[in-house]
Amino acid sequence: MSASPLQVLRETFGFSAFRGEQETIIEHILSGEDALVLMPTGGGKSLCYQIPGMIRPGTGIVISPLIALMQDQVEGLRESGVRADFLNSSLAPFEARAVEDRLLAGDLDLLYVAPERALTDGFRRLLGRIQPALFAIDEAHCVSQWGHDFRPVYLQLADLTEGFANTPLIALTATADNATLQDIVEKLHLQKARRFVASFDRPNIHYRVELKDAAFQQLLEFIQTKHKGDAGIVYCLSRRKTEDVAARLVKADIQALPYHAGLDQEVRAEHQRRFVREEGIVIVATVAFGMGIDKPDVRFVAHLDLPKSIEAYYQETGRAGRDGLPSNAYMLYSLADVVALRQMLEQSAPPPGAINTTHTSNSGAGDPGLYDDDVLAAAEHQGLSPEAMNHQIVVRRRLDSMLGYAESVRCRRQVLLEFFGEELPEACGNCDICNGSVETFDGTVLAQKALSCVYRTGQRFGAGYLIDVLLGRENERIEKFGHKELSTYGIGTELNEREWKSVFRQLVAAGLLDVELDARAGFRLSERSRPVLKGEATVMFRRDPERKRSRARKDSSSSSRSGNQAIEFPDEDSAVLFEKLRALRLELAREREIAPYMIFHDSTLRDMVYLKPAAFDDLALVSGVGQKKRDLYGAQFLQAIQAHLRESD
Ligand code: ADP
Ligand code: ZN
């Protein structure tokens, strides 16, 4: 065998050390065994199959579902001097033929193949004529119908690898829930494969959740103060909203592009291409955007609407900061969102065959047994089928755990990791709760007033009306229903309207109020309301922060920052140099028609700024500079650094 894994890591990829279990996984594959690898997005899965693919004799066959991204992946590898190629439907027949020729000639270390392509007779014949070094199945959760990215074609992949008992098979995914894992093991015949489960913590991501007040203004302020010039993703629930928000961002001088399934295929491809190839593009998208986007320097992910589940939230936020540099996950939500989403989810028909409750069993929200009965009773009441009822339980649990997260008074990271079955013994120090300390208070009496108002008005009104009653307001509806006579009329004057809204929101989030499924979205008491009303249970609330009225404040107090504001530098001069190197990188990327990150990651540029290499050999010390890139770009970057040093003298 030629090079060792560490040599390849250093010489080809320019990294000094393996991360986590990478090396163990690589050794395992090199010894010819199968593996199932679970790592969060950005954890470094690719090297786990790329390096063995390069070291083992023959060609590593990589099955990847994302045709649009294969080219990027392969170009990135080639930039590092790896002999890689891809086969998918985007190639003209003569191009595909050329790739096949290289494969047959033994000129490829890695071949990326779309699953549809891999399953054709033609490709199987091809496989019979070469030596596969390994099979890697990327995004392996696509084999599972419980996941959100089910691809039926993945189910046939076991047929493909069956005939190669001595070739190692490695399946990789960032989706950790049990039902999905079981499916992967079964459908891909990985019963004997060793499992490698990495921590799902992403320490470089800062989590922050804020109440929606003036959503767009909040987003704008967030981008302007923290992420000017940075690439980011903003998620919204509706297609129209993505277009609307993108247009308003553009007006505010931020390069934003919409992305959703309703846009023309070409427009989508172009927007995705620009996001990857240019710097500082903000994509405003529905969930249709993001899977497999390898862009390492996405500096923020913002949610303008509540995601449907914690899994979805974690996958989406995980797209920030793959390069390990500081990044932000920012979410806005409101009571109206909760109600709307709950109705939307509960009314949506269950996807055929996709009914199962096991994979949400680790929901953090309350007592599931009690809850099931509660939902079942409500569903039965509406004459729903057992499938529809089951579906309701699943979506409710998911949404509830999402809400529990949003309303948490504990360290966000602890809540998230707990959801994935991991324990973080100490609060993280890198989330809004840890940093800003959310104030909590005993809200039992307030809860009792609110719940009893719901009860006395007949369990059919929403927050707006109930608050009018609590505040003792006079209006036609109150007159009409005769609610001035109620014992709860005017008993809530200690809070203002906004504060009461917060109370109702937190009651819904805590499962102390249910939302009616009809258009009026009235509140009903739940099983859990009773002990509170009877004074047998206390309720803790978090105090909502004061509404911020200030315009986007320029954060001038902190240390000097580049346009890329997540990365901090010790002084202004370093920030200036970083910008110069970034500009050089962009210029080179344009010339070569590749993405800037394929030349060097931000983290590599940052290292250059700190180390200020003076000679060619010094470049070897910079993380992310392998041999080929040093030869290709080293001289130009050295020159830029030296020129900068002369200027600033
Ligand atoms: P995943 O596929 O798990 O989402 P990637 O394989 O894309 O993650 O890796 C995420 C980022 O981490 C990439 O930018 C990659 O270059 C970088 N990376 C991976 N392994 C290492 C390592 N050992 N040292 C430094 N950077 C690494
Ligand atoms: Zn924390």
Side-chain angles (χ1 to χ4, degrees), residues 358-371:
T358 53
H359 63 313
T360 49
S361 55
N362 48 358
S363 148
D367 175 354
L370 178 72
Y371 214 45

Side-chain angles (χ1 to χ4, degrees), residues 125-350:
R125 274 196 299 275
L126 213 53
L127 268 189
R129 295 171 61 193
I130 62 149
Q131 183 178 16
L134 56 84
F135 289 99
I137 301 189
D138 204 5
E139 313 283 356
H141 60 278
C142 290
V143 80
S144 169
Q145 56 180 329
W146 311 128
H148 22 88
D149 306 312
F150 178 46
R151 308 268 176 126
V153 62
Y154 259 60
L155 292 172
Q156 300 167 49
L157 288 175
D159 299 347
L160 180 73
T161 53
E162 201 91 309
F164 296 89
N166 297 321
T167 306
L169 174 63
I170 172 171
L172 310 102
T173 178
T175 300
D177 77 66
N178 273 327
T180 308
L181 270 191
Q182 266 168 25
D183 258 358
I184 295 175
V185 168
E186 254 166 56
K187 306 277 162 52
L188 298 177
H189 302 183
L190 284 168
Q191 286 82 357
K192 293 199 187 120
R194 180 158 158 204
R195 286 194 197 189
F196 296 89
V197 183
S199 164
F200 268 65
D201 189 14
R202 297 286 311 280
N204 60 315
I205 299 182
H206 179 274
Y207 299 95
R208 177 168 148 207
V209 180
E210 244 176 45
L211 268 183
K212 211 182 269 187
D213 174 5
F216 181 78
Q217 224 31 61
Q218 286 169 287
L219 174 71
L220 190 61
E221 177 166 340
F222 167 72
I223 296 179
Q224 285 178 336
T225 55
K226 295 216 151 59
H227 290 290
K228 210 155 192 169
D230 286 348
I233 308 174
V234 178
Y235 284 110
C236 310
L237 272 185
S238 81
R239 296 175 180 184
R240 235 196 60 212
K241 191 163 164 189
T242 63
E243 298 194 16
D244 180 51
V245 170
R248 291 173 72 184
L249 285 175
V250 168
K251 273 203 192 120
D253 223 17
I254 290 163
Q255 295 190 70
L257 297 169
Y259 188 103
H260 58 74
L263 290 173
D264 264 2
Q265 178 58 39
E266 278 153 43
V267 177
R268 269 193 288 165
E270 170 63 10
H271 289 184
Q272 177 169 317
R273 196 193 62 81
R274 287 192 57 193
F275 178 67
V276 174
R277 293 286 166 98
E278 296 177 20
E279 305 228 43
I281 301 270
V282 174
I283 285 273
V284 188
T286 57
V287 289
F289 182 78
M291 183 175 63
I293 300 267
D294 278 342
K295 190 174 167 61
D297 52 1
V298 177
R299 291 272 72 86
F300 70 90
V301 170
H303 283 90
L304 289 192
D305 293 303
L306 204 64
K308 290 180 186 138
S309 66
I310 288 210
E311 283 108 326
Y313 172 75
Y314 207 63
Q315 285 252 339
E316 286 154 17
T317 54
R319 289 170 189 147
R322 279 164 177 253
D323 53 12
L325 294 177
S327 307
N328 280 302
Y330 179 57
M331 183 172 93
L332 290 172
Y333 90 107
S334 69
L335 176 61
D337 280 3
V338 174
V339 171
L341 194 58
R342 193 166 262 189
Q343 288 189 325
M344 191 180 97
L345 291 176
E346 291 186 359
Q347 283 164 2
S348 67

Side-chain angles (χ1 to χ4, degrees), residues 410-414 424 427-435:
R410 288 172 57 214
C411 167
R412 304 266 181 219
R413 200 176 310 274
Q414 282 181 327
L424 192 68
C428 76
N430 190 26
C431 73
D432 56 350
I433 308 276
C434 286
N435 299 155

Side-chain angles (χ1 to χ4, degrees), residues 105-141:
D107 285 345
L108 292 180
D109 285 325
L110 291 167
L111 177 70
Y112 284 70
V113 194
E116 294 78 9
R117 183 82 173 211
L119 291 164
T120 58
D121 289 338
F123 188 76
R124 285 170 197 243
R125 274 196 299 275
L126 213 53
L127 268 189
R129 295 171 61 193
I130 62 149
Q131 183 178 16
L134 56 84
F135 289 99
I137 301 189
D138 204 5
E139 313 283 356
H141 60 278

Side-chain angles (χ1 to χ4, degrees), residues 9 15 17-19 22 39-47 294 296 322-323 601 623:
L9 181 78
F15 298 137
F18 283 109
R19 272 192 199 156
Q22 278 176 332
M39 263 187 209
T41 311
K45 286 186 281 299
S46 324
L47 290 180
D294 278 342
R322 279 164 177 253
D323 53 12
H601 286 182
S623 173

